């Protein structure tokens, strides 16, 4: 279903809008079953899909096998998250003639789907952040029709995945048109401006993400836009950690080089004490095999960023790495690691502080651990993750730093490395701008709230209430009730301290 | 603390930013006690404050007495909403080496305050949507320092209220600087652009709200902006309701004329069957006494809107009403009610469909009840409320209409009138644009989520975890735990339908 003309696009928008009501009315249990059906279909077709993905993206088989498993289980996790209806946040305030601010009607509130959602697929996760990825899973779970704008880096995979998804949804009894695919950046932009689209989601570069976010915000009728943009994911190692973790540098390098550094959680900076020994790093870097970058565009951008870093003042090369171009313009790379001083970093923000999407990281020697919280706030106002490597004995001295990291990041790690995001109820993958355009998470079950809006019903007859708000509760969802007479108890709050 | 110079503004932003951490760290129980202290202080000073408000706004004593009660109890409701810490949505995923997508670390997520919030006060609710109003209560409850931009229509009241709030917060042990007041539209705009401000809230006109929303969205670092803008709150009366509710027209008029129609939930349209008898409406309108509009600016705007409505083609005047100007430029008004056909309404959207902020409403005769859902979607894409008056016997025929109303409104009422918004857990005061800039609610306890963001902690030592996420749970908040081994149960979901 590749789309190119204006009337094609109009048809896509019309189909999504037309099916929105029927889809919104489906029982969560039925949508959960449909998500599981999509998951099963992905797993069944994994071998074929992975073969296409390898060819189109240059990513290795083990990584893609893991990514399909992650993607199908992400769908199952969303199924589990919606099946009991708790996500609907059903609230029932009983009528109360004695309510403290005046007689209160019967008011009931539930979260309803926002309507058709347009998702822009990412290049670097051809499954987990693409056609059947997290944004699609969350929007479908919420009951929103989905249009995915395919990433040009894996078009064949996108088309084939969309066929698998559409067939599975139909087989599970979901109405026709709840899932559609379009192609082409211009078509994505045109559809984002269409009044029938009610929310957007995106994973990609800061430049493009900001452009789309501005379009969404300045439409005649603005819509929420959830963009996951850039992140450099600083890591701070204490003197204790340097001494206690002999494998620290190897772990760092593995995280930097994995998937050729093309991960939004790649650690772009490692802060170490001034006197830290970095022996073995160069050898470890040289032992990493060549890896193809995702596509020629990403390859060119990486080569440019790497050139800027290597050319900056005060940069000491620890592992130079290499970039090779083949006749198709594809880049093949090995890791680059450099070292700079805090002063050099501060003095050259454009060359050194911007994200390098690829296997490149910057080691910074810090003279004074006490200065790190302020330094972090100054250099890194918005990131997906920040990480601390320290010993338990040092925990008492880290309060200020952790506070700075929590203020400026969606996820704060202790030990380990930020790449390899787990998909769970408690995951937060989203942080202050520019990590994401809003603070919402795009990974984990909390991501569903992006595509829901509250609607209250006042004094509604039972027959006209949504199922989740009815006293006979046919869907059996959790309902939070506030009975009459409760407000007289507020006075007791004066006793609390 | 009136503010006019750039260095004053800089000091305000710096103070808010400086206190943000200490305030964020306060226990919810302590903030709840502080909110109650503010509520008590408002009640203690009510007589003095109401006297100032009457002079500055022209609103009547009974209305203002009720509004202070609403405002202080709104603060108590937020205290109740945060005291148990459920709003923190604490989630704990235990580490799971057997997790289905690969070994899972210990991940814990909590909602943390977004940081300093700038609230633009409204003109029409000098208490409930102003200095100590809903946006301030929600932001303080969330743990965010608040700066209120006072409305020029009640400056003296704003200053005095701010003094009462600041003193009460200090008395309750809250850190210095958590609440500040600024004055002047330009200062509000300048502060909205300040990087230290992390969210904005606004209640007012569509024009100004959209302007501010665009500023917030296009800052170098965009921030969430929660604007409550325009709403015309259509009401649909069925033939059955016209027959069964002899008091319907009187109720309509009371709702239109209350507070001189200067309410965002005023019913701007009443749809009645073509053959409906509207006898008594003119007499009832003439019986309403003259009421001053809030300020000369609102008076001028209302006079202009009223002129446009009365001058539109096909308008039949049912109650002309009057506008009198005194020597200070204040307008004194009585209600205007007109009748138009569906065709006339459609043909003149600028004259007839825009909100008239004042005691004016439009009655529309509909020839065909079955056409109402489509007509509603066409004319009213975004409203705070929509209302149906019908008999129980007609409920079976109303499904399509209610679906259209729920899609386009934050609150759907059955019987009654949209003015007089109750403040409860289930209230939704916010709907599709232009009712609000996002779908978030600005009334009721769900409003707190606007000022919170998720932060995840991975493998954190207990000493560095926020209290709400610790296993020993010192604040005693509800924690949602996901234990190891659970993901193996997802397979059972395939059995659901």
């Amino acid at each position: 279903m590749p789309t190119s003309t204006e009337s094609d696009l109009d048809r896509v928008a019309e189909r999504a809008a037309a099916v929105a009501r029927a889809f919104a009315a489906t029982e969560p249990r039925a949508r959960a079953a449909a998500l599981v059906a999509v998951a099963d279909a992905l797993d069944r077709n994994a071998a074929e899909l992975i073969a296409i993905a390898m060819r189109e993206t240059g990513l290795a088989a083990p990584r893609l096998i893991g990514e399909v498993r992650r993607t199908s289980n992400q769908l199952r996790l969303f199924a589990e998250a919606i099946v009991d209806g708790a996500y609907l946040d059903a609230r029932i305030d009983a009528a109360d003639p004695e309510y403290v601010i005046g007689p209160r009607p019967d008011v009931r509130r539930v979260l309803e789907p926002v309507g058709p959602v347009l998702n822009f697929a990412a290049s670097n996760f051809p499954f987990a952040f693409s056609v059947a990825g997290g944004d699609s899973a969350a929007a479908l779970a919420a009951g929103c029709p989905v249009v995915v704008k395919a990433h040009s880096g894996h078009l064949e995979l996108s088309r084939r995945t969309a066929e698998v998804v559409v067939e599975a949804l139909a087989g599970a009894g979901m109405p026709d048109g709840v899932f559609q695919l379009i192609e082409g950046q211009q078509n994505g932009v045109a559809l984002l401006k269409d009044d029938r689209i009610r929310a957007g989601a995106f994973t990609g570069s800061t430049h493009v993400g900001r452009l789309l976010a501005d379009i969404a915000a300045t439409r005649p009728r603005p819509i929420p836009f959830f963009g996951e943009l850039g992140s450099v994911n600083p890591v701070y190692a204490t003197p204790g950690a340097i001494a206690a973790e002999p494998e620290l540098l190897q772990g760092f390098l593995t995280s930097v080089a994995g998937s050729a550094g093309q991960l939004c959680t790649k650690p772009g900076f490692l802060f170490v004490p001034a006197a830290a020994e970095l022996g073995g790093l160069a050898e470890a870097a040289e032992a990493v095999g060549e890896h193809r970058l995702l596509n020629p565009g990403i390859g060119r951008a990486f080569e440019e960023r790497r050139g800027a870093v290597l050319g900056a003042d005060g940069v000491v090369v620890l592992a130079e790495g290499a970039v090779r171009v083949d006749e198709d313009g594809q880049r093949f790379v090995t890791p680059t690691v450099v070292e700079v001083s805090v002063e050099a970093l501060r003095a050259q923000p454009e060359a050194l502080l911007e994200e390098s999407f690829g296997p490149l990281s910057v080691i910074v020697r810090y003279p004074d651990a006490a200065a790190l919280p302020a330094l972090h706030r100054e250099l890194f106002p918005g990131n997906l993750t920040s990480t601390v490597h320290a010993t338990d004995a040092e925990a008492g001295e880290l309060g200020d730093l952790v506070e700075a990291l929590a203020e400026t990041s969606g996820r704060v790690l202790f030990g380990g490395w930020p790449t390899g995001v787990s998909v769970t109820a408690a995951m937060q993958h989203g942080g202050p701008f520019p990590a994401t355009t809003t603070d919402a998470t795009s990974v984990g079950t909390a991501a569903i709230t992006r595509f829901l809006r509250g609607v209250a019903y006042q004094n509604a007859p039972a027959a006209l209430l949504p199922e989740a708000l009815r006293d006979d509760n046919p869907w059996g969802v959790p309902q939070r009730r506030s009975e009459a007479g409760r407000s007289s108890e507020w006075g007791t709050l004066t006793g609390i301290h």
Side-chain angles (χ1 to χ4, degrees), chain A residues 300-312 323 336 351 356 360:
Chain A
R300 266 192 311 276
F302 175 72
E303 196 167 2
E304 210 172 282
R305 282 290 307 133
R306 179 172 170 274
V309 170
L310 290 174
V323 178
T336 300
S356 300
L360 183 154

Side-chain angles (χ1 to χ4, degrees), chain A residues 43-354:
Chain A
D43 285 342
R44 267 200 314 276
N45 292 280
E48 180 202 348
L49 296 171
I50 288 169
I52 306 172
M54 285 178 69
R55 192 174 65 246
E56 288 192 310
T57 67
L59 291 168
R63 147 72 200 265
L64 290 169
I65 291 169
E67 193 182 329
V68 170
R69 186 184 315 131
R70 170 184 167 154
T71 307
S72 61
N73 280 302
Q74 184 163 253
L75 288 155
R76 293 188 183 96
L77 180 65
F78 274 105
E80 191 195 48
I82 61 170
V83 75
D84 70 352
Y87 81 98
L88 294 163
D89 190 26
R91 305 176 178 203
I92 299 180
D93 297 335
D96 185 354
E98 306 295 326
Y99 194 57
V100 62
I101 61 167
R104 179 175 85 179
D106 178 290
V107 183
R108 299 164 186 240
R109 180 179 187 271
V110 70
L111 298 182
E112 304 195 356
V114 293
V117 172
L118 175 60
N119 291 337
F120 291 82
S123 61
N124 61 337
F125 279 92
F127 294 103
F129 286 83
S130 189
V131 176
D135 288 334
S136 294
L140 291 171
C144 298
V146 168
V147 180
V148 172
K149 186 265 170 192
H151 195 280
S152 56
H154 50 272
L155 278 182
E156 190 189 334
L157 178 66
S158 298
R159 293 173 193 154
R160 186 64 195 111
T161 307
E163 286 171 2
V164 170
V165 171
V166 166
E167 193 188 327
L169 289 171
M174 292 297 105
D176 190 48
V178 294
F179 192 89
Q180 300 180 85
L181 188 74
I182 64 166
E183 298 177 10
Q185 187 70 31
Q186 282 190 319
N187 287 322
V189 168
L191 202 55
L192 187 62
K193 293 177 179 168
D194 192 293
D195 193 55
R196 290 163 289 191
I197 294 297
R198 297 301 166 83
F202 166 88
T203 308
S205 74
T206 304
H207 175 71
V208 175
R210 180 67 202 246
L211 209 102
L212 296 175
D214 287 351
I215 289 172
T218 53
R219 290 168 26 138
R221 170 146 60 152
I223 51 171
F225 183 81
F226 305 97
E228 194 239 275
L229 316 182
S231 191
V232 296
N233 310 295
V235 178
Y236 298 89
T238 64
I242 294 285
E245 292 184 50
E247 74 295 0
L248 190 136
L249 289 176
Q250 181 60 56
F252 164 67
L253 198 72
T254 304
S255 186
V256 169
S259 299
Q262 300 164 111
L263 300 175
C264 43
T265 51
K266 182 206 72 181
F269 293 90
L270 171 63
F271 287 77
V272 299
E277 274 291 340
L278 301 180
L281 187 68
E283 295 73 16
E286 270 156 35
V288 176
E290 194 181 65
H291 196 300
R292 195 192 104 186
L293 292 179
L294 285 159
N295 60 57
I298 284 177
R300 266 192 311 276
F302 175 72
E303 196 167 2
E304 210 172 282
R305 282 290 307 133
R306 179 172 170 274
V309 170
L310 290 174
D313 289 342
V315 163
V316 177
V317 177
L318 301 181
E320 187 169 2
V323 178
R324 178 175 68 80
V325 194
D326 76 2
E327 64 268 31
D328 298 327
Q330 301 285 13
R331 262 79 173 175
F332 294 77
V333 294
T334 57
T336 300
V337 181
V338 303
E339 181 188 318
V340 301
S341 66
V342 169
E343 293 69 36
L345 194 59
R346 268 200 179 119
Q348 303 165 90
E350 270 189 43
L352 294 174
L353 278 176
E354 301 220 340

Side-chain angles (χ1 to χ4, degrees), chain A residues 16-49:
Chain A
V19 77
R21 269 172 259 167
F23 193 41
T26 52
E27 189 172 346
R29 192 168 292 273
R31 286 203 307 285
L35 291 174
V36 172
V38 174
D40 292 345
L42 277 182
D43 285 342
R44 267 200 314 276
N45 292 280
E48 180 202 348
L49 296 171

